[in-house]
Amino acid sequence: MPPTLHILTTILLLFHHHISAITPPPEFQEAPAFLNGKECNKKANNIHIAMTLDLTYLRGSIAGVLSIVQHATCPENIIFHFITTQHMSSHLGRTMLSAFPYLKFHLHFFSTSLVKDKISTSVRRALDQPLNYARIYLSHLLPSDVNRVIYFDSDLIVVDDVVKLWEIDLNDHVVGAPEYCHANFTHYFTAKFWAKPYFSGVFKTRDRKPCYFNTGVMVIDLTKWRTYKTTQKLGKWMEIQKKHRIYELGSLPPFLLVFAGDVERIEDRWNQHGLGGDNVEGLCRNLHPGPVSLLHWSGKGKPWLRLNSKRPCPLDQLWAPYDLFKRAPLISDS
């Protein structure tokens, strides 16, 4: 390439990067105000909910928040903790405020340097993003007086009163989540993992058989999390993964390694997951049998992208009423 053309190309690329960096998020409609009902106890404890916030999943996050407050008996008792990176945080904060003027929320900055050297490539690019690992650091990011939190992914909607999930008794457990013991647990780790007792032997110490659980919906006792140094335990497995390649699915397997067989089981209705299909093709799926309190589009296919492409799955129409966007999103994770 001639020197002049090379310089021009470099300038154009830098200009494009600069424009991308200052491009505001998509615009959203303002949600109606949701106020506490008469039956709400003014002295009731606040409900703390943590979600990550970025441009790629912003449309999903806003739909999720709307679904939560719309179905809550006491929406004014809910405090949201949005975990984001410092880059774009001011834009994202203003967007949330314009969509939800009455919402109680805090922005917490997650430093990607905490995990960038620990992340291994997985089956889908979106699973490799540093912010996907922020849930590991909730005990550090949230104020020390927050003793319990519900963690929600940004590709779900809640169609029940979230206080029912909040009030679940975790007993002696650190984490509560729906478990799926019919899933083939061996598929979540490589053959090398199962061949080495040093790795696979971790599950022999559990009180019961380890089962798969989806980390997109978790009730977490942050006091116990801090006491048991859970963040360090999860980080240790990430370091082992970098050296030995013992799994393929992003931030999920470390949670299984630390908690599977030691989770407070929550009703399946609180995570009807997998609606985004598998991690490769994202094909349409149906609901699991049984009641539904939460629908979760885990997997590659996201409802906002399928609706944009005019090829929605039938269940995407259940997500659409919570969609507040005004114009098409700028970023796809496909």
Side-chain angles (χ1 to χ4, degrees):
M1 179 183 294
T4 304
L5 183 56
H6 176 75
I7 293 172
L8 178 61
T9 301
T10 302
I11 292 173
L12 288 173
L13 287 171
L14 290 172
F15 178 74
H16 174 74
H17 176 76
H18 175 70
I19 292 298
S20 299
I22 62 175
T23 300
E27 296 178 359
F28 295 87
Q29 304 170 49
E30 181 179 319
F34 294 96
L35 306 177
N36 282 359
K38 294 180 180 179
E39 62 271 41
C40 291
N41 185 345
K42 292 183 179 180
K43 296 182 180 180
N45 292 329
N46 290 322
I47 297 171
H48 294 274
I49 296 176
M51 301 174 70
T52 56
L53 202 61
D54 67 351
L55 276 176
T56 306
Y57 283 80
L58 181 60
R59 191 169 165 186
S61 300
I62 288 178
V65 170
L66 176 58
S67 72
I68 293 166
V69 295
Q70 182 171 323
H71 292 283
T73 302
C74 306
E76 293 178 275
N77 291 4
I78 301 175
I79 298 176
F80 287 87
H81 299 268
F82 296 122
I83 314 301
T84 185
T85 56
Q86 193 136 9
H87 175 64
M88 290 299 296
S89 61
S90 59
H91 285 306
L92 294 172
R94 285 196 298 269
T95 298
M96 294 303 298
L97 192 60
S98 65
F100 300 101
Y102 307 99
L103 195 70
K104 296 179 181 178
F105 73 88
H106 304 283
L107 286 177
H108 305 278
F109 300 138
F110 175 65
S111 174
T112 58
S113 63
L114 290 171
V115 294
K116 69 177 183 179
D117 294 329
K118 297 179 181 179
I119 296 175
S120 302
T121 56
S122 60
V123 295
R124 187 161 59 90
R125 187 186 69 179
L127 300 178
D128 302 337
Q129 301 308 306
L131 203 58
N132 197 42
Y133 291 80
R135 71 196 82 187
I136 293 174
Y137 296 88
L138 290 177
S139 65
H140 295 67
L141 295 169
L142 272 56
S144 59
D145 60 349
V146 177
N147 299 316
R148 171 181 283 225
V149 69
I150 299 173
Y151 176 82
F152 281 147
D153 271 351
S154 296
D155 52 0
L156 56 78
I157 56 171
V158 176
V159 292
D160 202 345
D161 193 342
V162 75
V163 72
K164 299 176 184 176
L165 183 60
W166 175 257
E167 292 180 344
I168 286 172
D169 188 351
L170 293 180
N171 295 303
D172 294 328
H173 296 107
V174 179
V175 168
E179 289 185 301
Y180 307 94
C181 294
H182 61 276
N184 189 335
F185 195 76
T186 61
H187 288 173
Y188 296 96
F189 303 94
T190 63
K192 179 185 290 187
F193 173 86
W194 294 110
K196 291 183 177 294
Y198 176 76
F199 299 142
S200 58
V202 67
F203 296 121
K204 294 182 179 179
T205 63
R206 307 293 158 84
D207 292 337
R208 54 188 171 83
K209 175 185 174 182
C211 296
Y212 163 78
F213 68 95
N214 181 281
T215 54
V217 178
M218 295 185 290
V219 183
I220 302 172
D221 184 324
L222 289 175
T223 301
K224 288 188 176 69
W225 183 289
R226 296 176 180 118
T227 299
Y228 299 145
K229 301 186 184 303
T230 304
T231 296
Q232 292 91 320
K233 292 178 181 177
L234 292 164
K236 182 64 177 178
W237 280 112
M238 291 173 64
E239 292 172 3
I240 291 173
Q241 160 71 354
K242 286 287 284 188
K243 294 179 181 178
H244 300 283
R245 192 69 182 182
I246 58 174
Y247 55 78
E248 304 288 349
L249 281 173
S251 63
L252 166 64
F255 277 88
L256 297 180
L257 287 161
V258 173
F259 290 115
D262 191 18
V263 171
E264 180 64 32
R265 185 164 190 173
I266 293 174
E267 286 184 277
D268 291 355
R269 67 189 303 154
W270 283 106
N271 195 351
Q272 285 269 354
H273 71 289
L275 305 186
D278 58 59
N279 280 306
V280 179
E281 297 184 17
L283 300 176
C284 295
R285 286 185 176 172
N286 296 319
L287 287 175
H288 307 289
V292 180
S293 292
L294 183 150
L295 297 95
H296 186 189
W297 278 261
S298 57
K300 183 178 181 180
K302 303 306 174 188
W304 56 92
L305 297 178
R306 295 195 291 218
L307 287 164
N308 274 4
S309 68
K310 309 298 183 184
R311 293 180 296 175
C313 291
L315 290 178
D316 296 343
Q317 302 301 337
L318 299 177
W319 181 90
Y322 302 97
D323 187 14
L324 294 177
F325 91 114
K326 289 183 178 178
R327 57 186 173 86
L330 302 176
I331 297 177
S332 167
D333 75 334
S334 59

